[in-house]
Amino acid sequence: MTKAASFRVAGVFSLLALALMLMGSGVILSSKGTAAQDPLEVSSDPATFTAILEAANPALRTALFLDGLFALSYAGAVVFAVLALYDRCPLAAWASGLGIIATMLLDISENLMMMGSLGLAGAGQEITGERIALHVFVSGMKLHLAAFSLVVFTFILPKDGLVTWLMRWGGRTIMPIAAILFVTDAFGMSANASFGVFLAMTGGFALQAILMFREARDQERAG
């Protein structure tokens, strides 16, 4: 596959990831917040966790379906961008590519666990503290790996242009800080940090789509 083709595929996946994020947000808003996974990604007692799950069904199932497609899309966006930009810094390219694949696998595993928990709650069983701890661990690892992959990805971006500058410094600041604040709930900032993660990801995918299509066009002109 040529560089231009890799850039273009990365751009398509970026747009798809952005669209799926917005669709997921629409599901959450239409469910009046019950389909949001954020409350289920932090520690809570079994009774509260189970009650949230019961209230979230079936809207959460729709959100999980979209999130599964989103995981495949963001992985495609990064992997194809890494293929196109590999020669800028091979080590960073490998780290970012492997990091986003691991993130995708954790994300899909988290969704499968959540579906299992929805089934248990629907059957009248209370979710155990051990299962909740596993939910929280997988979610935290996913966010940390996503932040790591994004930071490393910024080191293979082209040097010139406002879009690249915004991606580079947004990726090195907003996403890592927001992810860590969400996982740790430091300063009671978990809810605000969740919004920060959302803004960083939607903005990042929009900017990446612009950059990838621009680079594809430039490659085609140069060829």
Side-chain angles (χ1 to χ4, degrees), residues 28 31-61 63-64 114-115 117-122 125-127 132 135-136 182:
I28 292 171
S31 70
K32 298 181 180 179
T34 59
Q37 293 184 61
D38 296 354
L40 300 168
E41 295 177 338
V42 294
S43 295
S44 61
D45 64 272
T48 300
F49 193 93
T50 305
I52 293 173
L53 279 176
E54 290 173 340
N57 195 22
L60 181 55
R61 293 184 183 275
L64 290 171
M114 197 69 72
M115 290 294 291
S117 294
L118 274 168
L120 290 172
Q125 297 185 44
E126 186 174 85
I127 309 303
I132 293 170
H135 274 289
V136 174
F182 176 77

Side-chain angles (χ1 to χ4, degrees), residues 4 28 39 53 57 105 111-112 147 153 157 170 185 202 205 209 211:
I28 292 171
L53 279 176
N57 195 22
L105 293 175
N111 289 346
L112 292 173
F153 180 69
L157 291 173
D185 195 25
T202 52
F205 285 123
L211 178 64

Side-chain angles (χ1 to χ4, degrees), residues 61-185:
R61 293 184 183 275
T62 303
L64 290 171
F65 168 74
L66 294 174
D67 193 54
L69 296 177
F70 173 63
L72 297 174
S73 298
Y74 68 64
V78 174
V79 167
F80 279 97
V82 162
L83 290 174
L85 296 165
Y86 178 82
D87 54 359
R88 291 190 57 81
C89 183
L91 181 60
W94 271 106
S96 182
L98 292 174
I100 204 65
I101 290 172
T103 301
M104 176 194 71
L105 293 175
L106 283 171
D107 207 349
I108 292 173
S109 297
E110 180 187 24
N111 289 346
L112 292 173
M113 287 172 53
M114 197 69 72
M115 290 294 291
S117 294
L118 274 168
L120 290 172
Q125 297 185 44
E126 186 174 85
I127 309 303
T128 64
E130 291 79 7
R131 190 177 180 91
I132 293 170
L134 185 57
H135 274 289
V136 174
F137 174 77
V138 172
S139 174
M141 284 295 297
K142 174 195 72 176
L143 285 173
H144 278 80
L145 267 174
F148 166 78
S149 180
L150 181 57
V151 169
V152 177
F153 180 69
T154 64
F155 288 95
I156 63 173
L157 291 173
K159 291 183 178 180
D160 300 325
L162 176 61
V163 171
T164 303
W165 186 88
L166 290 171
M167 286 183 67
R168 179 177 294 115
W169 293 107
R172 293 177 185 178
T173 56
I174 299 173
M175 181 63 180
I177 293 171
I180 293 171
L181 284 175
F182 176 77
V183 171
T184 63
D185 195 25

